[in-house]
Amino acid sequence: DNVSNKQTTTIAKSITFDDLGPNIASLRTNFHDAASDKNYAGKSTNFTLEFKEVGIGINEADIKLDLGQISSGKIAETPDACISTGDDYICQWLNIAATEGDGNKLVSVLAISQDKLGNKVEGELEYNVILDTKKPSVKDSSKAPLAGGTDPTFSPFIKTGDAIILTLEVEEVN
């Protein structure tokens, strides 16, 4: 200082180098079939993206999905919500309305998605989703009485107390 007082102080501060972007673990819909590991989408679908970010973290606005093959015009959508526990993140896109035709679709994590330092996403970025907005339809049905009532069976009539066999032929695309 101005009167020649001298003092030395050491300040210890650790600095972490972060050059890794968020690492994508999975993208699933609320209609995910675990047995076949297939994602399905219906008239309204939630998408859940799970990833690990070991560095500085993310801004939700920097994580984007291309949902354009499911819902027209939704090509750079930010999540409705993200939560983190340590380095693990879960982001959700809720109630995405299907406007495109049924069939196999591609949903992508945009390569411009990044962490707070600008490190780009890594891992699998494209996921197959089967869009199915059509209800199953009944093509044929039949019924037949079984014994069980107080009177003998009298086909094709059903009496009080009878058990019945009901057979349906249902068509479901997916």
Side-chain angles (χ1 to χ4, degrees):
D1 67 11
N2 291 337
V3 291
S4 300
N5 295 319
K6 295 181 182 180
Q7 183 176 358
T8 304
T9 302
T10 303
I11 299 173
K13 186 69 177 165
S14 64
I15 298 174
T16 304
F17 184 68
D18 177 8
D19 64 346
L20 298 174
N23 194 321
I24 306 300
S26 69
L27 176 70
R28 292 201 168 105
T29 69
N30 54 317
F31 302 112
H32 178 77
D33 179 16
S36 66
D37 196 30
K38 289 185 179 179
N39 282 308
Y40 293 89
K43 290 182 179 181
S44 179
T45 305
N46 298 337
F47 291 83
T48 301
L49 181 68
E50 295 183 15
F51 59 93
K52 188 173 283 293
E53 166 53 21
V54 295
I56 193 166
I58 61 142
N59 289 316
E60 288 181 21
D62 292 332
I63 304 297
K64 299 183 186 301
L65 284 187
D66 179 353
L67 297 162
Q69 289 190 17
I70 303 288
S71 187
S72 180
K74 294 190 177 287
I75 57 172
E77 297 300 299
T78 57
D80 293 303
C82 289
I83 58 169
S84 68
T85 24
D87 297 337
D88 296 318
Y89 284 79
I90 297 174
C91 291
Q92 290 190 308
W93 289 256
L94 303 173
N95 302 315
I96 303 301
T99 60
E100 300 300 309
D102 287 3
N104 292 319
K105 306 296 178 182
L106 197 62
V107 172
S108 303
V109 179
L110 293 184
I112 61 170
S113 299
Q114 62 188 15
D115 66 11
K116 289 179 181 177
L117 292 175
N119 297 315
K120 303 294 184 210
V121 289
E122 302 170 350
E124 187 174 347
L125 301 181
E126 295 181 337
Y127 292 85
N128 291 312
V129 176
I130 300 168
L131 181 58
D132 180 8
T133 60
K134 293 185 178 83
K135 296 177 184 178
S137 60
V138 176
K139 295 297 183 187
D140 191 25
S141 66
S142 64
K143 63 184 180 310
L146 292 175
T150 54
D151 298 321
T153 59
F154 187 61
S155 189
F157 301 101
I158 300 171
K159 306 174 310 305
T160 302
D162 275 355
I164 63 169
I165 295 175
L166 181 60
T167 306
L168 297 174
E169 181 184 337
V170 178
E171 181 178 77
E172 168 58 74
V173 176
N174 292 304

